[in-house]
Amino acid sequence: MRSIGYYKGIDFGGDAHLNLRQLEAFRATMRSGSITEAAEIMHISQPSVSRLIGDIERSVGFPLFLRSGRGLTPTLEANTFYKGVEGMFVGVERLQELADSIRTTSGGIISIGTIQSIAAFELPRAVNQLYQRYDDIRFMIHARNTPGILDAVQMNQFDLGIVGQQPPYQGVETLFQTAAPYVCLMPEDHKLVGQAGTVDLEELANSETFVTSGGAFPDHMMSMSSALSNKMQGCSRLSATNMSVAASLVRETGVLAIIDPFSAEQAVNMGGVVFRPIAQDLKYYISIVTSGREQLSRQAIELSEVLAQQLSERVAHVVSYAK
């Protein structure tokens, strides 16, 4: 007989209280007709089975077996009680089978909306772990901006959303959030390459030009002083709302860019550029959101956890690099 486990919750009033282990012993004894065989079925000792049967008899208030020599004869009450116990175990075993099926069968689709900075490197790495593990999961990945992702998650169009603006977010549940320092992207032959420590944007703004974002700097960079922001915008002739485009402009024109560390890593992998930590405290926010954890499959939750771990490790690396 398969052991279901231990469960407290059958209360007969007063001191009468049964657990599932006791009922397993009663069921095994009824099925086998002996304490010895019941002990073998349950992989426990004969005294343990006898003790469990005795506990049940004290709880229910009537004898279950008549003992004659080495044999056992169920009482009338035991036969009636057994019908109820057997029905309960059938239901429990069906639940166990259902749980086994859910645990071993995945299937389905995981839909993800992601910002560009995570779409090209971090997310594919996380997806690959589940892709190799589950051969019946389909992944649908959509690259959008943060407002579009949040709207889609709220409408249950995406299981998971990876967004990049400072929380809080309305109408969604945040599974993970972190913040990484922005970095300064520069051509690999720039005079600042190879120097230790951070670069100061106040100083660089006197001699260097920068790629801006839409003619300005993103709202999440507004911890930058307005004077510095205006100074950097005033001498800029290049603007790009996409970080990967900004990185390409750095590579081709020799100007600098303030860029998130995830996009910076992609740019460095493509060659021709490097990045340096900056002195100013400019934060890039990353969060994983959903419309509700209870609506996610086990595999979708696993994906969010894998990605969260990767992002945490990446942020820790960038922070240590800045030091």
Side-chain angles (χ1 to χ4, degrees):
M1 181 180 68
R2 183 178 184 181
S3 176
I4 303 298
Y6 184 87
Y7 173 72
K8 292 181 178 179
I10 304 177
D11 197 335
F12 289 84
D15 295 330
H17 195 80
L18 300 178
N19 63 56
L20 200 56
R21 192 61 168 165
Q22 294 168 349
L23 297 176
E24 281 186 292
F26 170 64
R27 185 192 190 205
T29 304
M30 288 290 292
R31 284 185 161 191
S32 64
S34 76
I35 295 290
T36 301
E37 291 187 31
E40 293 177 357
I41 291 171
M42 296 181 67
H43 305 290
I44 59 177
S45 66
Q46 294 180 42
S48 295
V49 174
S50 297
R51 184 174 62 254
L52 291 169
I53 295 297
D55 290 341
I56 294 178
E57 290 179 326
R58 284 187 290 274
S59 294
V60 298
F62 51 78
L64 297 172
F65 298 98
L66 299 176
R67 295 163 178 81
S68 56
R70 301 182 64 181
L72 291 177
T73 301
T75 64
L76 177 63
E77 293 86 355
N79 285 316
T80 301
F81 188 57
Y82 175 68
K83 293 177 182 179
V85 170
E86 187 64 34
M88 183 200 72
F89 269 91
V90 170
V92 171
E93 287 175 344
R94 285 178 179 171
L95 288 175
Q96 184 89 43
E97 292 170 0
L98 176 60
D100 291 343
S101 175
I102 293 172
R103 184 178 64 252
T104 58
T105 304
S106 49
I109 298 173
I110 301 176
S111 59
I112 310 124
T114 178
I115 50 177
Q116 289 285 349
S117 59
I118 305 301
F121 187 70
E122 294 294 347
L123 182 57
R125 283 180 56 204
V127 165
N128 182 56
Q129 290 198 38
L130 273 73
Y131 183 81
Q132 300 300 330
R133 193 173 304 149
Y134 305 107
D135 58 9
D136 52 356
I137 289 286
R138 295 173 59 196
F139 300 88
M140 299 182 66
I141 300 172
H142 308 263
R144 297 186 184 178
N145 59 23
T146 289
I149 294 170
L150 290 173
D151 288 344
V153 169
Q154 290 181 52
M155 293 186 290
N156 293 308
Q157 294 175 352
F158 297 152
D159 297 309
L160 298 171
I162 300 106
V163 296
Q165 72 182 32
Q166 185 172 2
Y169 315 107
Q170 299 299 318
V172 297
E173 179 182 348
T174 300
L175 300 176
F176 168 81
Q177 64 184 44
T178 188
Y182 276 91
V183 297
C184 181
L185 195 69
M186 59 188 65
E188 61 184 3
D189 58 356
H190 194 279
K191 61 184 179 182
L192 293 175
V193 174
Q195 296 184 16
T198 60
V199 295
D200 191 330
L201 298 181
E202 295 281 0
E203 296 179 2
L204 289 180
N206 295 322
S207 58
E208 302 285 345
T209 57
F210 290 80
V211 179
T212 62
S213 177
F217 290 96
D219 291 342
H220 43 253
M221 281 194 197
M222 285 302 125
S223 53
M224 181 189 298
S225 70
S226 58
L228 175 59
S229 178
N230 292 334
K231 187 176 183 179
M232 294 172 67
Q233 292 175 48
C235 59
S236 175
R237 297 168 51 207
L238 296 170
S239 178
T241 56
N242 183 285
M243 288 294 187
S244 61
V245 175
S248 296
L249 289 171
V250 171
R251 184 182 299 107
E252 298 300 328
T253 68
V255 301
L256 309 185
I258 308 304
I259 193 169
D260 70 87
F262 305 101
S263 298
E265 183 177 20
Q266 298 171 33
V268 169
N269 287 338
M270 293 178 65
V273 295
V274 297
F275 65 86
R276 292 277 309 277
I278 60 178
Q280 284 69 23
D281 185 24
L282 307 181
K283 297 294 187 184
Y284 183 71
Y285 296 91
I286 289 285
S287 298
I288 303 174
V289 300
T290 181
S291 61
R293 179 186 289 267
E294 69 282 355
Q295 300 183 44
L296 294 177
S297 67
R298 177 171 56 89
Q299 290 78 18
I301 293 176
E302 184 178 352
L303 176 61
S304 72
E305 292 171 346
V306 169
L307 180 58
Q309 179 65 31
Q310 286 181 196
L311 295 176
S312 296
E313 292 173 356
R314 181 61 184 157
V315 170
H317 174 74
V318 173
V319 171
S320 66
Y321 176 73
K323 295 178 181 180

